Coordinates of all heavy atoms in Angstrom, one line a residue:
M16 N -8.9 -12.7 14.0 CA -9.6 -11.4 13.7 C -9.4 -11.0 12.3 O -8.4 -11.1 11.8 CB -9.1 -10.3 14.6 CG -9.9 -9.0 14.6 SD -9.4 -7.8 15.9 CE -8.0 -7.1 15.0
E17 N -10.6 -10.7 11.6 CA -10.5 -10.3 10.2 C -9.8 -9.0 10.1 O -10.2 -8.1 10.8 CB -11.9 -10.4 9.5 CG -11.8 -10.4 8.1 CD -13.3 -10.2 7.5 OE1 -14.3 -10.5 8.3 OE2 -13.4 -9.8 6.5
R18 N -9.1 -8.9 9.1 CA -8.3 -7.6 8.9 C -9.2 -6.7 7.9 O -9.4 -7.1 6.8 CB -6.9 -7.9 8.3 CG -6.0 -6.7 8.1 CD -4.7 -7.2 7.9 NE -3.9 -6.0 7.5 CZ -2.5 -6.2 7.3 NH1 -1.9 -7.4 7.4 NH2 -1.8 -5.2 6.9
K19 N -9.5 -5.5 8.5 CA -10.3 -4.7 7.6 C -9.5 -3.7 6.9 O -8.6 -3.0 7.5 CB -11.3 -3.8 8.6 CG -12.4 -4.7 9.2 CD -13.7 -4.5 8.6 CE -14.8 -5.2 9.3 NZ -14.7 -6.6 9.1
I20 N -9.7 -3.7 5.6 CA -8.9 -2.7 4.8 C -9.9 -1.8 4.0 O -11.0 -2.2 3.7 CB -7.9 -3.3 3.9 CG1 -8.5 -4.2 2.9 CG2 -6.8 -4.1 4.8 CD1 -7.5 -4.5 1.7
C21 N -9.5 -0.7 3.6 CA -10.3 0.2 2.7 C -9.9 -0.2 1.3 O -8.7 -0.3 1.0 CB -9.9 1.6 3.0 SG -10.7 2.8 1.9
T22 N -10.8 -0.6 0.6 CA -10.6 -1.1 -0.8 C -10.5 0.0 -1.8 O -10.2 -0.1 -3.0 CB -11.6 -2.1 -1.2 OG1 -12.9 -1.5 -1.2 CG2 -11.6 -3.2 -0.3
K23 N -10.9 1.3 -1.4 CA -11.0 2.4 -2.3 C -9.6 3.1 -2.4 O -9.1 3.5 -1.4 CB -12.1 3.4 -1.9 CG -12.1 4.6 -2.7 CD -13.4 4.7 -3.6 CE -13.1 5.8 -4.6 NZ -14.3 6.6 -4.8
C24 N -9.0 3.3 -3.6 CA -7.8 3.9 -3.7 C -8.0 5.4 -3.8 O -8.7 5.9 -4.6 CB -7.0 3.4 -5.0 SG -5.4 4.2 -5.2
S25 N -7.3 6.1 -3.0 CA -7.4 7.6 -2.9 C -6.6 8.3 -4.0 O -6.8 9.5 -4.2 CB -7.0 8.2 -1.6 OG -5.7 7.9 -1.3
K26 N -5.9 7.6 -4.8 CA -5.0 8.1 -5.8 C -5.7 8.0 -7.1 O -5.7 8.9 -7.8 CB -3.6 7.4 -5.7 CG -2.6 8.0 -6.6 CD -1.2 7.3 -6.5 CE -0.2 7.9 -7.3 NZ 1.0 7.1 -7.4
C27 N -6.1 6.8 -7.4 CA -6.7 6.6 -8.8 C -8.3 6.4 -8.7 O -8.9 6.2 -9.7 CB -6.0 5.5 -9.5 SG -6.4 3.8 -8.9
H28 N -8.8 6.4 -7.5 CA -10.3 6.4 -7.3 C -11.0 5.2 -7.9 O -12.1 5.1 -8.2 CB -11.0 7.6 -7.9 CG -10.2 8.9 -7.3 ND1 -10.4 9.4 -6.0 CD2 -9.4 9.9 -7.8 CE1 -9.7 10.5 -5.8 NE2 -9.1 10.7 -7.0
T29 N -10.2 4.0 -7.7 CA -11.0 2.8 -8.1 C -11.0 2.0 -6.8 O -10.1 2.1 -5.9 CB -10.3 2.0 -9.3 OG1 -8.9 1.8 -8.9 CG2 -10.3 2.8 -10.5
S30 N -11.9 0.9 -6.8 CA -11.9 0.1 -5.7 C -11.1 -1.2 -5.9 O -11.7 -2.3 -5.9 CB -13.3 -0.1 -5.2 OG -14.0 0.9 -4.9
T31 N -9.8 -1.0 -6.1 CA -9.0 -2.2 -6.4 C -7.9 -2.3 -5.4 O -6.8 -3.0 -5.8 CB -8.4 -2.0 -7.8 OG1 -7.8 -0.7 -7.8 CG2 -9.4 -2.0 -8.9
V32 N -8.1 -1.9 -4.2 CA -7.1 -2.1 -3.1 C -7.4 -3.4 -2.4 O -8.5 -3.7 -2.0 CB -7.1 -0.9 -2.2 CG1 -6.1 -1.2 -1.0 CG2 -6.8 0.4 -2.8
S33 N -6.4 -4.3 -2.3 CA -6.4 -5.5 -1.7 C -5.1 -5.8 -0.9 O -4.1 -5.3 -1.3 CB -6.9 -6.7 -2.5 OG -5.9 -6.8 -3.5
L34 N -5.1 -6.8 0.0 CA -3.9 -7.1 0.6 C -2.9 -7.8 -0.3 O -3.2 -8.7 -1.0 CB -4.2 -8.1 1.8 CG -4.8 -7.4 3.0 CD1 -5.0 -8.5 4.1 CD2 -3.8 -6.4 3.7
A35 N -1.7 -7.4 -0.2 CA -0.6 -7.9 -1.1 C 0.6 -8.2 -0.2 O 0.9 -7.5 0.8 CB -0.2 -7.0 -2.2
T36 N 1.4 -9.2 -0.5 CA 2.7 -9.5 0.2 C 3.8 -9.1 -0.8 O 3.8 -9.5 -1.9 CB 2.7 -11.1 0.4 OG1 1.6 -11.5 1.2 CG2 4.0 -11.4 1.3
L37 N 4.6 -8.3 -0.2 CA 5.7 -7.8 -1.0 C 7.0 -7.5 -0.3 O 6.9 -7.6 1.1 CB 5.1 -6.5 -1.6 CG 4.6 -5.4 -0.8 CD1 5.6 -4.4 -0.4 CD2 3.3 -4.9 -1.4
T38 N 8.0 -7.3 -0.9 CA 9.4 -7.0 -0.3 C 9.3 -5.5 -0.3 O 9.2 -4.8 -1.3 CB 10.5 -7.5 -1.2 OG1 10.3 -9.0 -1.2 CG2 11.8 -7.3 -0.4
Y39 N 9.7 -4.9 1.1 CA 9.5 -3.5 1.2 C 10.9 -3.0 1.7 O 11.4 -3.5 2.8 CB 8.4 -3.2 2.1 CG 8.1 -1.7 2.3 CD1 7.7 -0.9 1.2 CD2 8.3 -1.2 3.5 CE1 7.5 0.4 1.3 CE2 8.1 0.2 3.7 CZ 7.7 1.1 2.6 OH 7.5 2.2 2.7
D40 N 11.5 -2.0 1.2 CA 12.7 -1.4 1.6 C 12.4 0.1 1.8 O 11.9 0.8 1.0 CB 13.8 -1.5 0.6 CG 14.3 -2.9 0.5 OD1 15.2 -3.3 1.4 OD2 13.8 -3.7 -0.3
V41 N 12.8 0.5 3.0 CA 12.5 2.0 3.3 C 13.6 2.4 4.2 O 14.3 1.8 5.0 CB 11.1 2.1 4.0 CG1 11.1 1.5 5.3 CG2 10.7 3.6 4.1
E42 N 14.0 3.8 4.0 CA 14.9 4.5 5.0 C 14.0 5.2 6.0 O 13.1 5.9 5.7 CB 15.6 5.6 4.2 CG 16.4 5.0 3.0 CD 17.7 4.5 3.3 OE1 18.2 4.9 4.3 OE2 18.3 3.6 2.7
I43 N 14.2 5.0 7.3 CA 13.5 5.5 8.4 C 14.5 6.3 9.3 O 15.5 5.8 9.7 CB 12.7 4.5 9.1 CG1 11.6 3.8 8.3 CG2 12.0 5.0 10.4 CD1 10.9 2.6 9.0
D44 N 14.1 7.6 9.5 CA 14.9 8.4 10.5 C 14.4 8.0 11.9 O 13.2 8.2 12.2 CB 14.7 9.9 10.2 CG 15.4 10.2 8.9 OD1 16.6 9.7 8.7 OD2 14.8 10.9 8.3
H45 N 15.3 7.7 12.8 CA 14.9 7.2 14.1 C 15.9 7.6 15.1 O 17.1 7.2 14.9 CB 14.6 5.7 14.1 CG 14.1 5.2 15.5 ND1 13.0 5.5 15.9 CD2 14.6 4.4 16.4 CE1 12.7 4.9 17.2 NE2 13.9 4.3 17.5
D46 N 15.7 8.4 16.1 CA 16.7 8.8 17.1 C 17.9 9.5 16.4 O 19.0 9.3 16.8 CB 17.1 7.7 18.0 CG 16.1 7.1 18.9 OD1 15.2 7.9 19.1 OD2 16.2 5.9 19.4
G47 N 17.6 10.2 15.3 CA 18.6 11.0 14.8 C 19.6 10.3 13.9 O 20.6 10.8 13.3
R48 N 19.2 9.0 13.6 CA 20.0 8.1 12.7 C 19.1 7.7 11.5 O 17.8 7.6 11.8 CB 20.6 7.0 13.4 CG 21.8 7.3 14.3 CD 22.2 6.1 15.0 NE 22.7 5.1 14.1 CZ 23.1 3.8 14.4 NH1 22.9 3.5 15.7 NH2 23.5 3.0 13.6
T49 N 19.5 7.4 10.4 CA 18.8 6.8 9.4 C 19.1 5.3 9.2 O 20.2 4.9 9.2 CB 19.1 7.5 8.0 OG1 18.9 8.9 8.1 CG2 18.3 6.9 6.8
Y50 N 17.9 4.6 9.4 CA 18.0 3.1 9.4 C 17.5 2.7 8.0 O 16.4 3.2 7.5 CB 17.2 2.5 10.4 CG 17.8 2.9 11.9 CD1 17.5 4.1 12.5 CD2 18.6 1.9 12.4 CE1 17.9 4.3 13.8 CE2 19.2 2.2 13.7 CZ 18.9 3.4 14.4 OH 19.4 3.7 15.6
H51 N 18.1 1.7 7.4 CA 17.6 1.0 6.2 C 16.8 -0.3 6.7 O 17.3 -1.1 7.4 CB 18.6 0.6 5.3 CG 18.1 -0.1 4.0 ND1 17.7 0.7 2.9 CD2 17.9 -1.3 3.7 CE1 17.2 -0.2 2.0 NE2 17.4 -1.4 2.5
V52 N 15.5 -0.2 6.5 CA 14.7 -1.3 7.0 C 14.3 -2.1 5.7 O 13.8 -1.7 4.7 CB 13.4 -0.7 7.6 CG1 12.5 -2.0 8.1 CG2 13.8 0.1 8.9
H53 N 14.5 -3.5 5.9 CA 14.1 -4.4 4.8 C 13.1 -5.4 5.3 O 13.3 -6.0 6.4 CB 15.4 -5.1 4.4 CG 15.0 -6.2 3.3 ND1 14.8 -5.9 2.1 CD2 15.0 -7.6 3.5 CE1 14.6 -7.1 1.4 NE2 14.7 -8.1 2.3
V54 N 11.9 -5.3 4.8 CA 10.8 -6.2 5.2 C 10.6 -7.2 4.1 O 10.1 -6.7 3.0 CB 9.6 -5.5 5.6 CG1 8.6 -6.5 6.2 CG2 9.8 -4.4 6.5
P55 N 11.0 -8.5 4.2 CA 10.9 -9.4 3.1 C 9.5 -9.9 2.8 O 9.1 -10.3 1.7 CB 11.9 -10.5 3.4 CG 11.9 -10.5 5.0 CD 11.7 -9.1 5.3
D56 N 8.6 -9.7 3.8 CA 7.3 -10.3 3.5 C 6.2 -9.4 4.1 O 5.4 -9.8 4.9 CB 7.1 -11.7 4.1 CG 7.6 -11.7 5.6 OD1 8.1 -10.7 6.1 OD2 7.4 -12.7 6.3
L57 N 6.2 -8.1 3.7 CA 5.4 -7.2 4.3 C 3.9 -7.5 3.6 O 3.8 -7.6 2.4 CB 5.8 -5.8 3.9 CG 4.8 -4.6 4.3 CD1 4.9 -4.5 5.9 CD2 5.2 -3.4 3.9
V58 N 2.9 -7.5 4.6 CA 1.6 -7.7 4.1 C 0.8 -6.4 4.2 O 0.7 -5.9 5.4 CB 0.8 -8.9 4.8 CG1 -0.6 -9.0 4.3 CG2 1.7 -10.1 4.8
T59 N 0.4 -5.8 3.2 CA -0.1 -4.4 3.3 C -1.2 -4.2 2.2 O -1.0 -4.8 1.1 CB 1.0 -3.3 3.4 OG1 0.5 -2.2 3.9 CG2 1.5 -3.1 1.9
P60 N -2.1 -3.3 2.4 CA -3.0 -3.0 1.3 C -2.4 -2.3 0.1 O -1.6 -1.4 0.3 CB -4.0 -2.1 1.9 CG -4.0 -2.3 3.4 CD -2.5 -2.7 3.6
K61 N -2.6 -2.8 -1.1 CA -2.0 -2.2 -2.2 C -3.1 -2.1 -3.4 O -3.9 -3.0 -3.6 CB -0.9 -3.1 -2.7 CG -0.2 -2.6 -3.9 CD 0.9 -3.6 -4.5 CE 1.6 -3.1 -5.7 NZ 2.4 -4.1 -6.3
C62 N -3.0 -1.1 -4.0 CA -3.9 -0.9 -5.3 C -3.3 -1.7 -6.4 O -2.3 -1.4 -6.9 CB -4.0 0.6 -5.5 SG -5.0 0.9 -7.0
S63 N -4.2 -2.5 -7.0 CA -3.6 -3.3 -8.1 C -3.8 -2.5 -9.4 O -3.3 -2.9 -10.5 CB -4.5 -4.6 -8.2 OG -5.8 -4.3 -8.4
N64 N -4.4 -1.4 -9.4 CA -4.5 -0.6 -10.5 C -3.4 0.3 -10.7 O -2.7 0.4 -11.8 CB -5.8 0.3 -10.4 CG -6.1 1.0 -11.8 OD1 -6.1 0.4 -12.8 ND2 -6.4 2.2 -11.7
C65 N -3.0 1.1 -9.8 CA -1.9 2.1 -9.9 C -0.6 1.8 -9.1 O 0.3 2.3 -9.1 CB -2.4 3.4 -9.5 SG -2.7 3.8 -7.8
G66 N -0.8 0.8 -8.1 CA 0.4 0.3 -7.3 C 0.6 1.1 -6.1 O 1.6 0.9 -5.4
Q67 N -0.3 2.0 -5.8 CA -0.2 2.7 -4.5 C -0.3 1.8 -3.3 O -1.1 1.0 -3.2 CB -1.3 3.7 -4.5 CG -1.3 4.7 -3.2 CD -0.2 5.6 -3.1 OE1 0.3 6.1 -4.1 NE2 0.3 5.9 -1.9
L68 N 0.7 2.0 -2.3 CA 0.7 1.3 -1.1 C 0.0 1.9 0.0 O 0.1 3.2 0.1 CB 2.1 0.9 -0.7 CG 3.0 0.1 -1.6 CD1 4.3 -0.1 -1.1 CD2 2.3 -1.4 -1.8
Y69 N -0.7 1.3 0.9 CA -1.3 1.8 2.0 C -0.9 1.1 3.2 O -0.6 -0.1 3.2 CB -2.8 1.8 1.9 CG -3.4 2.7 0.7 CD1 -3.5 2.1 -0.5 CD2 -3.6 4.0 0.9 CE1 -4.0 2.8 -1.5 CE2 -4.0 4.8 -0.1 CZ -4.3 4.2 -1.3 OH -4.6 5.0 -2.4
F70 N -0.7 1.8 4.3 CA -0.2 1.2 5.6 C -1.2 1.3 6.7 O -1.7 2.3 6.9 CB 1.1 1.8 6.0 CG 2.2 1.6 4.9 CD1 2.6 2.7 4.1 CD2 2.9 0.4 4.8 CE1 3.6 2.4 3.1 CE2 3.8 0.2 3.8 CZ 4.1 1.2 2.9
D71 N -1.7 0.1 7.1 CA -2.5 0.1 8.3 C -1.8 -0.2 9.6 O -0.6 -0.4 9.5 CB -3.7 -0.9 8.0 CG -3.2 -2.3 7.7 OD1 -2.0 -2.6 8.0 OD2 -4.0 -3.2 7.4
D72 N -2.6 -0.5 10.7 CA -1.9 -0.6 11.9 C -1.0 -1.9 11.8 O 0.1 -2.0 12.4 CB -2.9 -0.9 13.0 CG -3.5 0.4 13.3 OD1 -3.1 1.5 13.0 OD2 -4.7 0.4 14.0
E73 N -1.4 -2.9 11.1 CA -0.7 -4.1 11.1 C 0.6 -4.1 10.3 O 1.7 -4.6 10.7 CB -1.6 -5.3 10.6 CG -1.5 -6.6 11.3 CD -2.6 -7.5 11.0 OE1 -3.7 -7.1 11.2 OE2 -2.3 -8.6 10.4
S74 N 0.5 -3.4 9.1 CA 1.7 -3.3 8.3 C 2.8 -2.3 9.0 O 4.0 -2.5 8.9 CB 1.4 -3.0 6.9 OG 0.5 -2.0 6.7
S75 N 2.1 -1.3 9.6 CA 3.0 -0.3 10.3 C 3.8 -1.0 11.4 O 4.9 -0.8 11.6 CB 2.2 0.9 11.0 OG 1.6 1.5 9.9
E76 N 3.0 -1.9 12.2 CA 3.7 -2.7 13.2 C 4.7 -3.6 12.7 O 5.8 -3.8 13.2 CB 2.6 -3.5 13.9 CG 3.0 -4.5 15.0 CD 3.9 -3.8 16.1 OE1 3.7 -2.7 16.4 OE2 4.6 -4.5 16.8
Q77 N 4.4 -4.3 11.4 CA 5.4 -5.0 10.8 C 6.8 -4.3 10.5 O 7.8 -4.9 10.7 CB 4.9 -5.7 9.6 CG 5.0 -7.2 9.4 CD 4.5 -7.6 8.1 OE1 3.6 -7.1 7.6 NE2 5.2 -8.6 7.6
I78 N 6.6 -3.1 10.1 CA 7.7 -2.3 9.7 C 8.5 -1.9 11.0 O 9.7 -1.9 11.0 CB 7.3 -1.1 8.9 CG1 6.7 -1.4 7.6 CG2 8.5 0.0 8.7 CD1 6.1 -0.4 6.8
S79 N 7.7 -1.5 12.1 CA 8.5 -1.2 13.2 C 9.2 -2.3 13.9 O 10.3 -2.2 14.6 CB 7.6 -0.4 14.2 OG 6.4 -1.1 14.6
R80 N 8.6 -3.5 13.7 CA 9.2 -4.7 14.2 C 10.6 -5.0 13.5 O 11.6 -5.2 14.0 CB 8.5 -6.0 14.1 CG 7.5 -6.3 15.3 CD 7.0 -7.8 15.4 NE 6.4 -8.2 14.1 CZ 5.2 -8.1 13.8 NH1 4.3 -7.7 14.7 NH2 4.8 -8.6 12.6
A81 N 10.6 -4.7 12.2 CA 11.7 -4.9 11.4 C 12.7 -3.9 11.7 O 14.0 -4.0 11.7 CB 11.4 -4.9 9.9
L82 N 12.3 -2.7 12.1 CA 13.3 -1.6 12.5 C 13.9 -1.8 13.8 O 15.1 -1.6 14.0 CB 12.4 -0.2 12.6 CG 13.2 1.0 13.2 CD1 14.2 1.5 12.2 CD2 12.1 2.1 13.5
R83 N 13.2 -2.5 14.7 CA 13.9 -2.8 16.0 C 14.8 -3.9 16.0 O 15.6 -4.1 16.8 CB 12.7 -3.2 17.0 CG 12.0 -1.9 17.5 CD 11.1 -2.3 18.6 NE 10.0 -3.2 18.5 CZ 8.9 -2.9 18.2 NH1 8.4 -1.7 17.9 NH2 7.9 -3.8 17.9
K84 N 14.9 -4.7 14.9 CA 15.8 -5.8 14.8 C 17.3 -5.4 14.7 O 17.6 -4.4 14.0 CB 15.4 -6.7 13.6 CG 14.4 -7.8 14.0 CD 14.5 -9.0 13.0 CE 14.2 -8.6 11.6 NZ 13.5 -9.6 10.8
Ligands
ZN12 ZN1 -4.9 3.2 -7.2

């Protein structure tokens, strides 16, 4: 299935958003605790102009999988 992403960046208003693979670190509050989640190969839409990251269903799922580990 082809992954559909929005190529328009809502931050800098250029159409330079494309899928990028990156290392992503985030703190997530879950069940009253803060978890440090490290995703070494997150594939998510990113604006190549301003660097803004966007999360779609697939990358959100990738993050929640990393959280459950
Ligand atoms: Zn942008």
Side-chain angles (χ1 to χ4, degrees):
M16 194 174 79
E17 196 185 338
R18 187 164 168 178
K19 292 254 185 291
I20 62 163
C21 178
T22 58
K23 173 110 190 224
C24 180
S25 60
K26 195 177 175 189
C27 67
H28 307 291
T29 58
S30 294
T31 51
V32 177
S33 59
L34 282 178
T36 304
L37 49 102
T38 304
Y39 185 67
D40 286 276
V41 66
E42 305 277 332
I43 295 178
D44 291 318
H45 184 70
D46 291 340
R48 290 176 58 188
T49 301
Y50 294 86
H51 182 82
V52 179
H53 175 75
V54 189
D56 55 353
L57 182 69
V58 180
T59 201
K61 181 187 179 187
C62 176
S63 60
N64 187 49
C65 72
Q67 178 70 34
L68 295 177
Y69 295 93
F70 299 100
D71 59 7
D72 288 348
E73 223 166 300
S74 51
S75 300
E76 173 61 25
Q77 227 185 325
I78 293 168
S79 55
R80 270 204 307 271
L82 174 65
R83 284 194 295 268
K84 273 203 299 210

